[in-house]
């Protein structure tokens, strides 16, 4: 874990080392100040001249200024290093997530990934800042102050050593009790974020069904559970303060009592007021260092689980990657499934797809029909390697999809998924996702094919109309047509429409299919649909049920051979005819 996180420091190693060195110099100066002050007090006690006081006083001021300078420089270097480390950490996490397949994302969940990129990174950043500054300062101050304490106070400094085991025991107990709580609280954070994410994405549904009260109660339950765990952990951590105060005042009482007795009862011992003052100062420095160390342990305890969660993502290997020597060209749009079986996880008892054998020639239009849960979307996701098959193989252009470079394959296979997504930005910027170098004429042609030009041209700003996040300011049908146009700009070998015309009327649907036949005849077109009318003219229609192909053929063939297809067709067409008759 430490090796994984350390790799994110990179260009900020110099600043991190500089912070540690500057802190060490600051500590040396601070430990010299009580020593010089003791000499000054001794000289004053012996009735020295004013020039001696000025000389030693000037040295004290100089040491204080030097210490202040080192401290300021250390603070600047520490801030740069910790913020830079967090920047690299977020960058590496984000890049890693971009490489994940759907399988990897399903493993962590989107809400958990958001928590790791935000809350967890913030916790680790705070810990790193403490490690390169405070965690170096406190142990050094503890060591130097202990040494100087023995130099100035002799055997009386033993009390400082005696108090360390007491504090260490207290800290160990606190860490043992709080670590399980912090592990649990971050899992609750994931659930809290998931609740927020679901509520915001489904805001229209929530309001349509008047479920605000239910959602508020659900959120309150998650928020209260997070609060309860944090409260319990903070109550345990609160014992640090009283324990430290007990140790501080015990040391102060011991030092003052025995120090004063040594000065009064045994003047020949050489222990004077100056040394007593220095010993008290060193004692305070030691205890402050111990108190700071306890705070560091608390912060590290909180962030330890965050560090584990971040390193899990950074160490996760993408399940779908390009081979070492990939094929860099897709010849055509031929698609072949050879004895394909697919499971969403290795431990899944039931296969989502099984015994799939299918051959599609380049340029064919293929329709896929099936009920909910028949794995229609799963089937087409294997073509662009959004998932990898569990058994068998999928070939595109005569080559196993696992042998292609991922970018080359996915540039040749355009997918308009069931859940259409538009990003905040102009219509033009969204369309350029399909082809960043597309000309205005190519953009307009793609929109004409997708029947998107008819509504784009009604907007005052046309293709420069701003799309809100998620396409909130366009209708479902408009969003689908923009996504189809975006896919067409890729000029793919294979075009997959996953129920992506469900929100458009039948007339527009027919126009889109006619445009496909005219303008992209060599592109293989795979259309998942709920309406038989959307696939009636396809070269091949596939019926699916329970993750298996139950029938394949064109419209006329299936009407004769498939009872299921005939039933679907008659039910939909009769409904349409009855509506026409009524009108």
């Amino acid at each position: 874990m430490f090796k994984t996180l350390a790799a994110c420091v990179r260009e900020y190693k110099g600043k991190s080392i500089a912070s540690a060195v500057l802190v060490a110099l600051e500590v040396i100066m601070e430990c010299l100040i009580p020593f010089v002050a003791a000499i000054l007090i001794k000289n004053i006690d012996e009735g020295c001249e004013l020039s001696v006081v000025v000389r030693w006083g000037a040295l004290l001021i100089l040491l204080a200024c030097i210490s202040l300078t080192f401290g300021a420089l250390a603070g600047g270097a520490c801030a740069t290093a910790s913020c830079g480390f967090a920047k690299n950490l977020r960058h590496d996490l984000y890049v890693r997530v971009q490489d994940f397949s759907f399988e990897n994302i399903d493993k962590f969940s989107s809400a958990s990934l958001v928590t790791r990129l935000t809350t967890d990174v913030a916790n680790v950043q705070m810990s790193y800042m403490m490690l390169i500054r405070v965690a170096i300062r406190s142990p050094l101050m503890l060591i130097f102050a202990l040494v100087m304490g023995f130099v100035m106070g002799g055997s009386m400094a033993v009390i400082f050593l005696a108090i360390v085991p007491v504090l260490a025991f207290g800290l160990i107990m606190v860490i043992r009790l709080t670590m399980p709580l912090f592990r649990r609280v971050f899992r609750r954070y994931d659930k809290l974020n998931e609740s927020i994410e679901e509520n915001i994405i489904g805001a229209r549904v929530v309001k349509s069904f008047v479920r605000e009260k239910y959602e508020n109660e659900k959120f309150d339950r998650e928020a209260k559970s997070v609060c309860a765990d944090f409260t319990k952990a903070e109550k345990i951590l609160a014992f640090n303060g009283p324990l430290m105060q007990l140790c501080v005042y015990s040391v102060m009482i011991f030092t003052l009592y025995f120090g004063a007795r040594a000065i009064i009862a045994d003047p020949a011992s050489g222990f004077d007021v100056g040394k007593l003052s220095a010993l008290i100062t060193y004692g305070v420095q030691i205890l402050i260092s111990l108190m700071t160390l306890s705070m560091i342990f608390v912060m590290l305890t909180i962030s330890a689980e965050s560090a584990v969660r971040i390193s899990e993502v950074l160490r996760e290997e993408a399940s779908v990657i390009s081979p070492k020597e990939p094929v860099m060209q897709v010849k055509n749009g031929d698609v072949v499934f050879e004895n394909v079986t697919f499971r969403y996880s290795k431990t899944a008892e039931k296969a989502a797809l099984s015994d799939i054998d299918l051959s599609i020639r380049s340029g064919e239009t293929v329709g896929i029909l099936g009920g909910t849960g028949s794995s229609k979307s799963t089937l087409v996701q294997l073509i662009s390697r959004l998932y990898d098959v569990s058994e068998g193989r999928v070939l595109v252009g005569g080559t196993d999809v696992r042998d292609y470079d991922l970018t080359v394959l996915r540039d040749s296979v355009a997918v308009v998924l069931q859940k259409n997504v538009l990003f905040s930005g102009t219509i033009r910027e969204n369309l350029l996702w399909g082809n960043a170098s597309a000309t205005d004429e190519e953009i307009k042609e793609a929109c004409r094919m997708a029947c998107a030009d008819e509504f784009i041209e009604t907007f005052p700003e046309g293709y420069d109309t701003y799309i809100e996040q998620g396409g909130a300011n366009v209708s479902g049908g408009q969003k689908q047509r923009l996504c189809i146009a975006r896919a067409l700009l890729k000029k793919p070998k294979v075009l997959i429409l996953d129920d992506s015309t469900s929100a458009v009327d039948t007339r527009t649907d027919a126009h889109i299919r006619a445009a496909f036949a005219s303008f992209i005849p060599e592109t293989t077109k795979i259309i998942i649909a709920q309406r038989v009318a959307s696939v009636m003219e396809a070269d091949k229609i596939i019926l699916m049920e329970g993750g298996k192909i139950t029938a394949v053929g064109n419209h006329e063939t299936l009407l004769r051979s498939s009872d299921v297809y005939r039933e679907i067709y008659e039910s939909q067409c009769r409904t349409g005819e009855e509506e026409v008759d009524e009108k």
Side-chain angles (χ1 to χ4, degrees):
M1 181 186 71
F2 290 109
K3 186 177 179 181
T4 301
L5 296 180
C8 297
V9 179
R10 292 199 289 275
E11 69 269 29
Y12 297 98
K13 285 181 182 178
K15 288 290 184 181
S16 301
I17 294 170
S19 174
V21 172
L22 289 167
V23 164
L25 294 172
E26 179 191 14
V27 169
I28 292 171
M29 294 300 107
E30 287 191 19
C31 287
L32 286 175
I33 288 173
F35 181 77
V36 174
I39 296 174
L40 176 58
I41 292 170
K42 181 179 179 181
N43 286 330
I44 294 172
D45 189 48
E46 292 174 353
C48 66
E49 296 179 358
L50 182 60
S51 60
V52 176
V53 175
V54 171
R55 186 168 64 252
W56 287 105
L59 181 58
L60 280 174
I61 293 172
L62 178 62
L63 290 173
C65 289
I66 294 172
S67 177
L68 179 64
T69 302
F70 285 144
L73 292 173
C78 177
T80 302
S82 60
C83 291
F85 170 65
K87 178 203 71 175
N88 288 344
L89 205 54
R90 289 191 184 95
H91 171 270
D92 290 358
L93 281 169
Y94 191 77
V95 169
R96 175 63 68 178
V97 171
Q98 293 302 308
D99 288 337
F100 281 174
S101 67
F102 284 5
E103 180 182 346
N104 298 116
I105 293 173
D106 293 343
K107 175 181 176 180
F108 289 104
S109 85
S110 58
S112 178
L113 289 171
V114 170
T115 305
R116 294 171 201 239
L117 273 158
T118 52
T119 304
D120 289 334
V121 170
N123 287 338
V124 172
Q125 177 186 352
M126 183 64 68
S127 291
Y128 186 71
M129 182 185 69
M130 298 184 78
L131 282 171
I132 62 174
R133 189 179 183 193
V134 184
I136 291 175
R137 174 188 170 83
S138 296
L140 287 177
M141 180 65 79
L142 181 63
I143 294 168
F144 290 157
L146 271 173
V147 172
M148 295 303 293
F150 277 101
V151 170
M152 302 301 290
S155 59
M156 271 195 294
V158 174
I159 183 61
F160 301 148
L161 293 177
I163 211 71
V164 171
V166 177
L167 286 171
F169 176 77
L171 288 173
I172 290 170
M173 292 304 298
V174 165
I175 291 170
R176 287 188 63 184
L177 292 172
T178 55
M179 276 297 285
L181 292 173
F182 285 121
R183 287 196 186 99
R184 190 167 65 197
V185 84
F186 283 113
R187 288 194 292 271
R188 294 193 187 280
Y189 260 134
D190 290 344
K191 291 183 179 179
L192 192 67
N193 280 344
E194 186 176 348
S195 176
I196 296 169
E197 183 182 30
E198 284 183 347
N199 186 270
I200 293 173
I201 292 173
R204 287 180 173 81
V205 178
V206 173
K207 292 185 181 300
S208 298
F209 285 88
V210 197
R211 296 286 283 176
E212 290 91 343
K213 183 178 179 182
Y214 170 79
E215 288 295 320
N216 288 339
E217 290 173 352
K218 185 173 76 170
F219 180 83
D220 283 344
R221 285 196 299 272
E222 296 297 340
K224 285 177 181 177
S225 63
V226 171
C227 178
D229 282 342
F230 258 126
T231 301
K232 188 173 181 180
E234 290 294 338
K235 284 180 179 179
I236 297 171
L237 292 175
F239 282 101
N240 272 342
L243 180 62
M244 290 303 306
Q245 293 295 328
L246 175 66
C247 294
V248 167
Y249 288 118
S250 297
V251 168
M252 292 291 290
I253 291 170
F254 177 89
T255 305
L256 286 171
Y257 176 75
F258 288 100
R261 285 196 61 181
I263 293 171
I264 296 170
D266 190 11
S269 64
F271 191 78
D272 53 30
V273 176
K275 289 184 177 181
L276 177 62
S277 173
L279 191 62
I280 292 172
T281 303
Y282 288 129
V284 171
Q285 288 178 339
I286 290 168
L287 293 172
I288 289 175
S289 298
L290 290 170
M291 187 177 295
T292 306
L293 282 172
S294 71
M295 292 171 59
I296 294 169
F297 276 116
V298 169
M299 189 62 224
L300 290 177
T301 301
I302 294 173
S303 63
E305 184 62 20
S306 291
V308 170
R309 286 157 54 84
I310 289 171
S311 61
E312 282 176 352
V313 177
L314 291 176
R315 290 200 303 265
E316 177 75 8
E317 293 294 333
S319 60
V320 176
I321 59 174
S322 298
K324 291 182 179 180
E325 297 181 2
V327 177
M328 300 302 293
Q329 183 180 5
V330 179
K331 294 179 180 179
N332 53 49
D334 288 344
V335 177
V336 177
F337 288 79
E338 292 184 353
N339 196 27
V340 168
T341 297
F342 171 74
R343 295 179 177 82
Y344 278 103
S345 69
K346 294 178 181 179
T347 58
E349 294 182 3
K350 185 179 178 182
L353 292 167
S354 57
D355 304 322
I356 302 295
D357 285 291
L358 178 66
S359 179
I360 302 170
R361 293 194 305 272
S362 182
E364 280 190 326
T365 298
V366 177
I368 303 179
L369 294 174
T372 302
S374 59
S375 297
K376 304 183 298 295
S377 298
T378 304
L379 178 74
V380 296
Q381 286 173 358
L382 298 178
I383 298 173
S384 57
R385 280 197 80 194
L386 297 179
Y387 292 98
D388 267 340
V389 298
S390 303
E391 298 174 20
R393 61 177 186 160
V394 178
L395 295 87
V396 173
T399 301
D400 193 321
V401 292
R402 290 169 292 192
D403 294 333
Y404 282 114
D405 176 80
L406 270 178
T407 302
V408 169
L409 174 65
R410 290 175 181 172
D411 273 342
S412 299
V413 181
V415 183
V416 183
L417 295 172
Q418 192 171 6
K419 294 182 180 179
N420 298 286
V421 177
L422 294 175
F423 298 89
S424 54
T426 65
I427 289 176
R428 188 187 309 278
E429 289 169 345
N430 270 277
L431 293 174
L432 287 175
W433 274 64
N435 181 1
S437 59
T439 63
D440 287 348
E441 185 55 41
E442 288 174 328
I443 290 173
K444 290 177 181 178
E445 183 184 5
C447 289
R448 282 195 296 270
M449 292 171 62
C451 295
D453 60 326
E454 59 188 42
F455 69 83
I456 294 174
E457 291 172 359
T458 64
F459 295 149
E461 297 182 18
Y463 288 88
D464 293 318
T465 301
Y466 190 82
I467 299 293
E468 302 292 342
Q469 184 180 15
N473 58 333
V474 291
S475 70
Q478 290 171 339
K479 190 189 300 184
Q480 285 188 338
R481 283 179 275 176
L482 286 173
C483 290
I484 292 171
R486 182 175 62 188
L488 291 172
L489 278 171
K490 292 181 74 173
K491 299 177 181 177
K493 297 285 196 310
V494 180
L495 174 64
I496 299 171
L497 303 179
D498 186 356
D499 202 17
S500 49
T501 57
S502 58
V504 302
D505 58 82
T506 53
R507 182 185 65 84
T508 303
D509 186 13
H511 285 173
I512 292 172
R513 286 184 281 110
F516 288 170
S518 302
F519 291 100
I520 50 173
E522 296 180 0
T523 297
T524 302
K525 297 162 283 290
I526 301 176
I527 304 170
I528 296 176
Q530 299 298 328
R531 295 188 293 239
V532 172
S534 297
V535 297
M536 277 176 54
E537 298 174 4
D539 300 304
K540 191 178 293 181
I541 300 171
I542 300 166
L543 285 183
M544 294 191 66
E545 184 178 352
K548 294 184 177 182
I549 295 176
T550 56
V552 179
N554 60 25
H555 174 65
E556 290 76 13
T557 302
L558 290 177
L559 277 178
R560 292 192 304 270
S561 61
S562 173
D563 294 337
V564 174
Y565 182 81
R566 187 165 52 252
E567 182 182 343
I568 295 171
Y569 170 73
E570 290 177 352
S571 64
Q572 291 184 3
C573 290
R574 282 176 182 172
T575 301
E577 290 171 359
E578 289 171 1
E579 290 176 354
V580 171
D581 291 340
E582 288 176 2
K583 291 178 181 178

